Amino acid sequence: MQKQKRLPILIPIILLIFSSSGIFAQEKALDSIKNETTLAFTIPQKDSARYYYIKSIRFEGNNITKDKVIWRELNFREGDSIKGKNLFTRLEKSRENLRNLSLFNFVHITASLDSSCTYCSTVTIRFIEQWYIWPFPIFEVADRNFNTWWKKKDFSRLNYGVFFEHKNFLGLNQKLKLLLRFGHDQKYELSYYNPYINKKQTIGMGISAGAKLNHETAYMTDSNNEELFYKDDNVNVKKEFYFGFDFTLRRNIYNTHILSVKYIMNRFADSLVILNPEYSPGQKTEVNYTQLHYMFRSDHRDYKHYPLGGWYFDVRMTQKGIPGNEGLNMFDAVSSFRKYWKLHERWFFASGVTGKISSKGAQPYFAQRGLGYGRDFVRGYEYYVIDGQDYALLKTNLKFALIQPHIHKFGFIRNEKFNTVHYAIYMNFYLDAGHVWDQELQHVNDLDDQLLLGGGIGLDFVTYYDKVLRVEYSVNKMGEGGVFLHFIAPI
């Protein structure tokens, strides 16, 4: 295996110095605004064992979002009697539930004594809503991640276009999306999702249809664990058309069942199956199949886009093709569990484990996924894909809040959807481990069937509209190091 060139650690050091310089200057400002931006609780500490009667609940600032969407996320109601020591927890969990809707930039809850009766409480929830209708410009790399693209710096491997989204259609948390993406990987998709189609707000339904067109696609992974690509500028070497329905069941706040049914039609260029006879089942250039997908999710994170507390569990089962009726027959099950701890005022720890098992027998290359895709990779191995039917992945993170969640207002912007920005910067120390099993020995390379280790140090920048930027310096067990960029939470 050719060893990757080591990249300098200069970038993390510069960012560290830059971010640290403002800690003490901003800490005082943070203390003065903390209660005004999260949760104010005026119940006397000495009366925490008493029961408080929730006399009224008031909403302010939800100019677009309907009240019933908010009521769905609260774990208390008017008329409830709750112990003072439990009331704070109930209010905070409700605030987290509302933030995780991704409909609001800020949620401020105030619980105060009501003078009209003894131990009565009035709860006021004030919102700053996000901007819900976005024509997002698309300008992105076509590779598995930014780091693999930066290694080549091939500007022909870029996507561009526009993504129209209404993320709170009719004020009911419905999502309407239109994607028009051109360039290297063309994609066109129209989708609609309604999370509440029944009166109890427990059942949701969505529909989507789209097409993906590629002039270039990976047809094989070589012995160095890198993808090999085939390209034809004159024709689309890979075409995919799909249509599907999603059904959700959410009886309570934290647990969700999702069932998806999708019909997918694939068209491949002859060259793909010539270059790799295992690219498609039976070396077919047309593969149509029905995909059934089920997912159970239990989400107890404080903030799903960048959690610092709580836990998360899911299990996903996918059947590609109906056995005996279609050319493709693959089954896999993936499960993950993630836990987050607050160790001290500024120190946090997180750990997550993910595992996948799949049906035995030869799996076509275009449909198989091991480690190296999406968020499932060992840090330090961003340049590699490790193919196989089964894998296990462990990620650990120790982080320190260089700048705790901070609020800044731009006075020259009048619209509160944009003039109030929250941000935080965290320093990370991490260690990951993974293992991939290639039972069929389809892809002979030296990263299969061995323990993969990687770790390093990084900085995370978290800001409003649920945006995360991570800059990390990682080293794998082969001694290869580099600076990597990512745009989602590590765990």
Side-chain angles (χ1 to χ4, degrees):
M1 177 182 300
Q2 184 179 2
K3 198 169 183 179
Q4 298 295 333
K5 183 179 179 180
R6 292 177 181 268
L7 296 178
I9 197 172
L10 183 59
I11 294 177
I13 293 176
I14 292 174
L15 290 172
L16 175 60
I17 295 173
F18 173 77
S19 59
S20 299
S21 63
I23 293 176
F24 300 107
Q26 300 185 63
E27 188 168 315
K28 185 176 180 180
L30 173 65
D31 291 337
S32 67
I33 63 170
K34 182 183 294 185
N35 288 336
E36 296 180 5
T37 57
T38 55
L39 187 147
F41 191 66
T42 61
I43 303 299
Q45 185 68 27
K46 64 180 180 180
D47 294 330
S48 62
R50 292 185 180 274
Y51 282 87
Y52 288 85
Y53 176 75
I54 307 298
K55 183 179 179 181
S56 64
I57 302 173
R58 297 181 301 190
F59 303 147
E60 298 177 358
N62 57 312
N63 302 317
I64 296 176
T65 308
K66 305 298 184 184
D67 286 358
K68 66 179 183 179
V69 174
I70 299 170
W71 284 113
R72 178 68 174 83
E73 306 305 314
L74 301 182
N75 55 15
F76 59 90
R77 291 289 186 269
E78 291 179 345
D80 287 354
S81 292
I82 306 172
K83 271 189 176 183
K85 65 180 182 180
N86 297 328
L87 184 56
F88 180 89
T89 302
R90 299 272 284 274
L91 295 175
E92 178 62 19
K93 290 300 294 183
S94 295
R95 189 185 71 87
E96 293 172 359
N97 298 338
L98 291 166
R99 281 284 287 119
N100 281 331
L101 286 176
S102 296
L103 298 179
F104 312 106
N105 281 329
F106 297 95
V107 179
H108 175 211
I109 300 182
T110 300
S112 57
L113 292 176
D114 192 310
S115 58
S116 62
C117 63
T118 305
Y119 297 111
C120 288
S121 177
T122 296
V123 177
T124 302
I125 307 178
R126 185 178 183 277
F127 304 91
I128 295 181
E129 294 181 307
Q130 294 185 359
W131 188 265
Y132 298 127
I133 304 175
W134 284 99
F136 289 103
I138 296 175
F139 186 77
E140 61 187 17
V141 300
D143 290 276
R144 293 177 297 108
N145 55 58
F146 177 83
N147 309 285
T148 54
W149 178 85
W150 186 253
K151 180 183 174 184
K152 303 173 184 176
K153 299 181 182 65
D154 183 355
F155 286 89
S156 69
R157 300 178 61 78
L158 294 175
N159 300 325
Y160 57 89
V162 64
F163 173 45
F164 297 96
E165 179 183 31
H166 195 325
K167 62 190 299 184
N168 195 11
F169 187 57
L170 302 178
L172 296 172
N173 197 22
Q174 301 176 21
K175 294 175 175 59
L176 183 63
K177 300 179 182 180
L178 173 63
L179 175 67
L180 302 173
R181 190 178 72 191
F182 311 98
H184 186 274
D185 294 332
Q186 301 173 49
K187 182 178 180 180
Y188 312 96
E189 182 180 85
L190 178 64
S191 66
Y192 167 77
Y193 174 67
N194 184 351
Y196 317 118
I197 63 173
N198 64 329
K199 187 175 181 180
K200 292 183 177 180
Q201 294 181 283
T202 58
I203 300 175
M205 181 179 176
I207 184 172
S208 63
K212 299 178 183 179
L213 307 174
N214 300 85
H215 286 287
E216 182 179 24
T217 190
Y219 66 89
M220 181 184 291
T221 303
D222 67 11
S223 58
N224 290 322
N225 307 283
E226 296 181 358
E227 293 175 305
L228 299 179
F229 291 87
Y230 174 73
K231 182 177 182 179
D232 190 329
D233 292 325
N234 299 316
V235 298
N236 290 302
V237 298
K238 181 182 177 182
K239 294 184 286 187
E240 178 183 308
F241 307 92
Y242 56 91
F243 177 81
F245 294 92
D246 298 322
F247 305 91
T248 60
L249 176 63
R250 185 172 176 243
R251 290 197 178 99
N252 58 42
I253 291 176
Y254 303 105
N255 298 329
T256 305
H257 302 264
I258 303 171
L259 177 64
S260 300
V261 182
K262 183 181 290 187
Y263 188 71
I264 302 173
M265 297 172 286
N266 286 283
R267 301 292 182 268
F268 308 124
D270 294 342
S271 300
L272 294 176
V273 296
I274 294 174
L275 290 169
N276 181 7
E278 298 175 348
Y279 184 83
S280 68
Q283 302 182 35
K284 295 180 179 179
T285 58
E286 295 186 12
V287 179
N288 304 329
Y289 62 94
T290 303
Q291 176 176 287
L292 301 177
H293 176 79
Y294 167 77
M295 177 179 181
F296 170 74
R297 178 177 64 222
S298 187
D299 193 345
H300 298 257
R301 296 171 293 181
D302 54 357
Y303 177 42
K304 66 180 181 180
H305 297 285
Y306 195 85
L308 297 174
W311 58 273
Y312 173 91
F313 170 78
D314 70 26
V315 59
R316 293 158 277 164
M317 294 180 286
T318 305
Q319 172 65 41
K320 297 178 180 179
I322 300 175
N325 294 329
E326 297 176 319
L328 183 65
N329 181 15
M330 286 178 58
F331 173 82
D332 63 64
V334 183
S335 183
S336 66
F337 177 76
R338 309 166 207 164
K339 184 73 173 70
Y340 310 88
W341 294 269
K342 181 177 181 179
L343 304 179
H344 198 260
E345 183 65 24
R346 289 176 176 267
W347 288 95
F348 304 88
F349 182 76
S351 182
V353 60
T354 302
K356 175 186 176 181
I357 57 174
S358 59
S359 55
K360 307 310 175 188
Q363 297 181 353
Y365 181 83
F366 88 93
Q368 180 181 263
R369 289 292 181 269
L371 287 181
Y373 301 90
R375 67 185 306 154
D376 292 339
F377 62 92
V378 176
R379 280 171 284 189
Y381 292 84
E382 279 88 342
Y383 294 138
Y384 303 112
V385 293
I386 303 95
D387 294 318
Q389 293 78 40
D390 312 321
Y391 64 77
L393 175 64
L394 171 67
K395 289 189 174 185
T396 61
N397 240 92
L398 176 66
K399 64 183 61 181
F400 174 75
L402 288 173
I403 297 180
Q404 293 176 298
H406 187 87
I407 308 299
H408 181 77
K409 273 204 170 187
F410 297 99
F412 61 90
I413 301 177
R414 293 186 178 182
N415 192 324
E416 66 177 359
K417 291 180 173 63
F418 302 100
N419 67 8
T420 305
V421 179
H422 65 81
Y423 62 91
I425 297 180
Y426 299 90
M427 186 175 185
N428 284 282
F429 308 91
Y430 51 88
L431 179 65
D432 299 347
H435 195 289
V436 177
W437 290 268
D438 186 359
Q439 304 291 352
E440 301 300 317
L441 298 178
Q442 289 177 271
H443 312 288
V444 180
N445 52 60
D446 55 2
L447 291 183
D448 280 333
D449 298 311
Q450 67 164 287
L451 180 64
L452 308 174
L453 294 173
I457 183 173
L459 288 176
D460 296 354
F461 176 69
V462 186
T463 187
Y464 79 148
Y465 282 88
D466 307 321
K467 296 298 183 290
V468 178
L469 170 63
R470 292 161 42 212
V471 182
E472 297 176 339
Y473 182 82
S474 303
V475 180
N476 59 35
K477 79 171 188 178
M478 298 175 290
E480 301 169 347
V483 177
F484 302 98
L485 297 180
H486 299 285
F487 302 96
I488 59 173
I491 299 177

